[in-house]
Structure formats: structure tokens, C-alpha cells
Amino acid sequence: MSHFGCDTILCFGDSLTQRGWDVSRNGWVAQLSQAYVRKLDVVSRGYGGYNSRWTLSLLPQILPTTDSKGPRPRLLTILLGSNDAFLPGLKQHVPIEEYKSNIESMVTMVTDPQSAHYSPDTKILLITPPALGEKLYSSMCDLYVGRTPESVKACADVIRDIAERHSLPCVDLWTAVETQAKEVGGELDGYDAFSFDGVHLNEGGNDLLFKLVFQAIKQHYPELDPSKVPHVVPLLAELTAAIKENKDLDVAQFLKFK
């Protein structure tokens, strides 16, 4: 095992994942990292502005090969689609059938025994892009043009379909935001409770996504419930108790990474 010491949770996607480390907005990736302290390393590979076409070129450079040694992803989350949903003619647009093919290629990169990155021990969690808050989105500067609620929904529908066909769990962030925004209501139709610009998550949105991801892990991959994942090295109380019990304890051996 390498000096990093433990396996990982690999969070892969666009700016919704990149910004997931933003502690000032309760980033969902940061919250996930806190839940797995000293158990699994949460690694963020989010690329702001990227679509599924461009990130598909990156994933094989990130995933370990089947025969590689050292830490491996125990869980891979994939959250893409908000940039693919740009309308035709815009540089980030990806046709919906290509988007579908790209996401499926990412899944089979891990699940296909013929893949150089085949990893049967790596679990996959697909996440839909969040619903677009149209009024909030259109109220922003001119940079924020080119997506529609319908184009984002089409990508969310694809993720749900892929998850079902590959028997994978899906975190349906789109439906969660859409439903709860309607309950909130208000001048911006409630989307401002979950997003600061109609696309990217604010504190409420990050808290919601973390809650959904955490629930999905516990329900579908209970072996990855943090309460069931052992610490990679003993806690201080365990170390001091072992030393007290055995004054000749080989501490270096006792502290080897599990």
C-alpha cells in the first residue's frame, strides 16, 4: 500500500463536484470527507465547465488499472450533465445520445471485466444534475445563458435510466430540488433555497446532496456505512490501551495501515 495509506471515495464530475469542497457553502464533498476521517480518503476530481465528452477522456487517467497496487476507489460517484445541457451551438453542448453513451462508458470502465480499469470492488453511485432554477438563473449576468429546465431534465432522465439498466443506485438530486423548491416557493420559485445562481449549490443544496448521498450509501452499500468501515490505524485510546497491556509492544507493527 502506498504512503497515502487507505482506499478512497472518488467523486468525479464537473463544477458541482469541484465546488463540493467549498466549506463556506457546506460543500457536500467536504461533508463526505468528514464522515470518513481516518477510514477512507475522499478524493474530489471535479472539473468546472467540463461536459461528459471531456471528462470521459480524463477518467481513465484517474482510475487505477486492474493490476495496479495500492489504494483503490471503494466508491465512485459520477455527477455530470449540467454542462452537457447547454443548447446546441454552444461549446459545452453534448447531444443527449452521446451524453448517454459517455456516462455508460464511464460505468463500464469500472464494471466490464475486459476493461483495463475493471474493479469489482468499486461501487458506483450515479447522481442526476439538480433541477435548473429558471428565474434565478436568468437573473444572473449574461454568462448564464444557454440552458433550459427541459435540457437539464433530459440529462437527469438519462442518469435514472442508466442506473436502472445497470442495476446501480441513483441519487435523484433533480427530483429532490424540484420537489422541495415547489414547497418553499417565493419570488424565485424556491430554487434559491438550494442554489445561488440556479445551477450551483448553496448551503442548502449541498446539505441536501450530502444527505441523499449518505442515505444512498447506507441503503445500497451498507458495508460502506462509515460506522462499519474500520479506522486504517488505531485510535489513540486503542494505542494507549495496547501499550498499557503490553510494555514490550512493537508499536511500529501495531500501527501498520490496515
Side-chain angles (χ1 to χ4, degrees), residues 27-85:
W28 69 276
V29 177
Q31 292 191 57
L32 198 62
S33 181
Q34 177 62 36
Y36 286 93
V37 164
R38 293 178 65 165
K39 296 183 175 185
L40 295 171
D41 284 340
V42 176
V43 178
S44 177
R45 292 295 180 266
Y47 302 91
Y50 277 44
N51 56 31
S52 65
R53 180 187 300 157
W54 301 331
T55 51
L56 180 59
S57 299
L58 295 176
L59 189 56
Q61 302 177 60
I62 297 168
L63 291 173
T65 57
T66 303
D67 58 356
S68 64
K69 307 298 181 183
R72 308 188 69 80
R74 298 278 298 280
L75 176 69
L76 169 64
T77 69
I78 300 175
L79 171 50
L80 289 161
S82 292
N83 295 316
D84 299 72

Side-chain angles (χ1 to χ4, degrees), residues 123 125 168-170 215-223:
K123 310 302 183 183
L125 189 59
L168 296 172
C170 174
Q215 288 175 341
I217 291 172
K218 290 185 174 184
Q219 178 181 352
H220 299 284
Y221 303 129
E223 69 276 19

